[in-house]
Amino acid sequence: MFDQICDDATTRQPGHAAVSVGADGRAMGRTAGQARLDKSDKTLWAELVTRVARAQDAQAFTMLFEHFAPRVKAFLMKSGADPTTAEECAQDVMATVWHKAAQFDPARASAATWIFTIARNRRIDMLRRDRRPEPEDLPWGPDSETDQFDALALQQDTEKLAQALNALPEKQRKMIESAYFGDLTHNEIADETGLPLGTIKSRIRLALERLRHSMTEQKETT
Amino acid sequence: MIRHHLSDKLLMAYAAGTLPEAFSLVVATHISICDECRARLAAFDSVGGAVLDQRVAPVAMSSDALSLTMAKIKSRAEPSPATPLPARDSVLPGPLRNYVGGGLDAVRWRSIGGGVRQAILPTSRNASARLLYIPAGTAVPDHGHRGLELTLVLQGAFVDETDRFARGDIEIADEALEHTPIAEAGMDCICLAATDAPLRFRALLPRLVQPFFRI
């Protein structure tokens, strides 16, 4: 099956060759693969991760790769990696996307958010920064009760958050970007972010409550 | 009901992956038992997603990047199994069990005088984390801070000049706070405390000095 996947990937090479011209940091925007994407579908990226999880769909993965790998590479370079290391680590990050796709929960994160967390963890390893212990996992998987509506609503909230970030005064936005590129210590981060995080927080909080509730019911009926 | 939560600052630094390990341990432990902060962290992760997706100019990958990545995927077909967590414990959430190597029974306490015991956890040196065991009714005197100190209650409760802190509550104390935490009567208090100030008390300090330890 993996041979099949690699073949698929190879047949898509022409699209890639067009993208990779110019290692000068030129934004890749209009590749053959992306032109076909329906950008109006807010759950597109989440759907693609789900397809990788369920069907090991190489085409879905290729689309994710074309969109996210150059962004992960840029993010790692912004975080202090040289281009060669960033390229290598971006490949690792995308390989992790493939391997951990089943852990992605579209009711709790957008694909970009989830891939960010993988890139962040790779950066911590790469720069040999402090270990970052993770919270205890919730006792349920993403596929237990994922509601299409929840997933769509979360993607919309994420989009609004991104718009709010884009609309912040430059100084504030730069502070936030620096924080996420790993340039600020916790002391240097401002007390007020200026970002409207309430909506997305409440949405995720409700999703958690519903899941806890359904977990309890399951326990009581079994 | 948890009343004292993590600050936005700490959550953003944890989401960005820039906290000293000892502070990350406190954040991860609190989130393990606080859905409110778990949701807030998810919101801060979303900011990271927005930065990744919208605020960096994509940098082209090499022409063979996709096939190299598929080869990496193929060579590691099975994700490495996650290390199994030590069995559940009613006091220590998962991240702490990893550091202790088990539940409360596995903690190697050392007396630091006045009935108070501590166990220093293995973290990187730029901040330290320790478990504290404070007998019910015992005060921790002369308690100022240098740097930032996070104290997360795991069992029992303590009260100081600012408020009452029970299981799950976190007190965020900086240099401005001079306080005298007292473990409530009834149940011994167990806390996870982390600070980026140098450790003030060591095994070789004379007993006389120990009641005045800083945490």
Side-chain angles (χ1 to χ4, degrees):
Chain A
M1 177 173 46
F2 278 103
D3 289 333
Q4 172 77 46
I5 285 157
C6 289
D7 288 342
D8 278 6
T10 318
T11 55
R12 295 184 57 86
Q13 268 319 105
H16 267 270
V19 195
S20 57
V21 177
D24 58 353
R26 181 174 60 85
M28 59 164 273
R30 280 158 246 95
T31 74
Q34 283 193 320
R36 286 196 299 275
L37 303 186
D38 180 4
K39 288 273 188 184
S40 65
D41 182 358
K42 292 182 171 45
T43 56
L44 171 72
W45 301 118
E47 171 62 29
L48 292 176
V49 179
T50 309
R51 277 207 253 163
V52 171
R54 293 206 180 128
Q56 300 192 301
D57 183 331
Q59 198 187 352
F61 181 76
T62 302
M63 289 162 88
L64 286 166
F65 190 95
E66 286 179 350
H67 182 76
F68 285 108
R71 285 172 169 79
V72 170
K73 182 175 176 181
F75 172 80
L76 294 172
M77 286 172 67
K78 285 278 195 182
S79 303
D82 62 78
T84 313
T85 310
E87 163 89 23
E88 175 79 19
C89 291
Q91 291 175 19
D92 294 344
V93 167
M94 295 311 294
T96 304
V97 166
W98 176 284
H99 286 303
K100 293 197 168 172
Q103 292 172 25
F104 170 67
D105 181 353
R108 285 201 275 147
S110 71
T113 298
W114 182 65
I115 292 171
F116 157 74
T117 63
I118 296 170
R120 170 199 63 205
N121 292 348
R122 189 67 189 84
R123 185 191 68 199
I124 292 170
D125 292 346
M126 174 184 87
L127 301 174
R128 295 195 178 79
R129 287 266 170 87
D130 275 14
R131 281 178 63 205
R132 181 182 176 279
E134 297 272 349
E136 195 169 336
D137 272 344
L138 295 172
W140 55 73
D143 49 359
S144 55
E145 286 261 325
T146 299
D147 187 298
Q148 279 303 310
F149 175 78
D150 285 352
L152 176 61
L154 184 80
Q155 305 310 312
Q156 286 169 338
D157 289 347
T158 307
E159 197 162 292
K160 279 186 199 137
L161 180 63
Q163 284 163 7
L165 176 65
N166 291 340
L168 278 184
E170 184 170 343
K171 195 176 162 216
Q172 230 165 334
R173 204 185 61 234
K174 289 272 183 230
M175 185 283 288
I176 292 169
E177 288 170 15
S178 302
Y180 284 88
F181 295 145
D183 291 339
L184 301 184
T185 67
H186 58 283
N187 285 323
E188 291 164 336
I189 291 175
D191 290 317
E192 293 294 325
T193 63
L195 283 170
L197 295 173
T199 312
I200 200 160
K201 192 267 309 184
S202 304
R203 173 101 49 209
I204 294 163
R205 183 88 166 90
L206 280 173
L208 291 177
E209 271 170 30
R210 261 203 300 278
L211 283 165
R212 286 224 189 267
H213 187 68
S214 69
M215 278 290 292
T216 320
E217 278 185 344
Q218 267 176 30
K219 264 188 197 158
E220 279 163 3
T221 51
T222 49
Chain B
M1 179 73 188
I2 297 172
R3 293 168 50 237
H4 299 277
H5 296 276
L6 295 164
S7 64
D8 282 355
K9 233 170 133 140
L10 282 170
L11 281 168
M12 188 185 274
Y14 181 72
T18 48
L19 276 184
E21 183 181 359
F23 290 158
S24 286
L25 177 59
V26 179
V27 171
T29 303
H30 175 84
I31 287 171
S32 298
I33 52 178
C34 178
D35 276 356
E36 175 69 12
C37 288
R38 193 185 283 271
R40 287 171 66 212
L41 173 66
F44 279 103
D45 281 345
S46 304
V47 179
V51 170
L52 174 72
D53 204 36
Q54 313 242 335
R55 303 303 316 171
V56 294
V59 176
M61 297 289 284
S62 62
S63 55
D64 54 355
L66 179 59
S67 47
L68 287 173
T69 305
M70 294 314 292
K72 283 186 187 192
I73 289 169
K74 194 181 167 187
S75 72
R76 199 176 65 90
E78 292 297 318
S80 50
T83 343
L85 207 59
R88 294 197 71 79
D89 181 273
S90 59
V91 176
L92 303 187
L96 268 180
R97 296 203 298 281
N98 277 335
Y99 277 77
V100 167
L104 201 54
D105 296 347
V107 179
R108 304 222 294 267
W109 297 107
R110 275 191 7 209
S111 172
I112 52 173
V116 179
R117 291 181 281 164
Q118 75 166 0
I120 294 173
L121 302 173
T123 61
S124 66
R125 301 177 75 105
N126 47 2
S128 59
R130 73 185 88 179
L131 285 165
L132 282 167
Y133 190 105
I134 309 158
T138 303
V140 180
D142 186 27
H143 191 99
H145 304 95
R146 300 196 328 177
L148 176 68
E149 182 192 86
L150 308 178
T151 308
L152 172 66
V153 180
L154 300 163
Q155 175 190 293
F158 72 81
V159 179
D160 70 8
E161 288 82 347
T162 68
D163 212 331
R164 176 178 186 271
F165 297 82
R167 176 168 167 88
D169 283 331
I170 187 158
E171 182 168 53
I172 301 171
D174 59 16
E175 284 158 25
L177 182 72
E178 279 282 341
H179 65 158
T180 310
I182 301 170
E184 262 185 7
M187 188 186 267
D188 295 343
C189 183
I190 297 174
C191 297
L192 169 64
T195 176
D196 54 6
L199 276 184
R200 277 319 203 70
F201 50 127
R202 301 192 176 83
L204 294 178
L205 283 179
R207 276 208 157 263
L208 186 64
V209 182
Q210 285 174 347
F212 300 96
F213 67 84
R214 293 164 186 271
I215 57 172

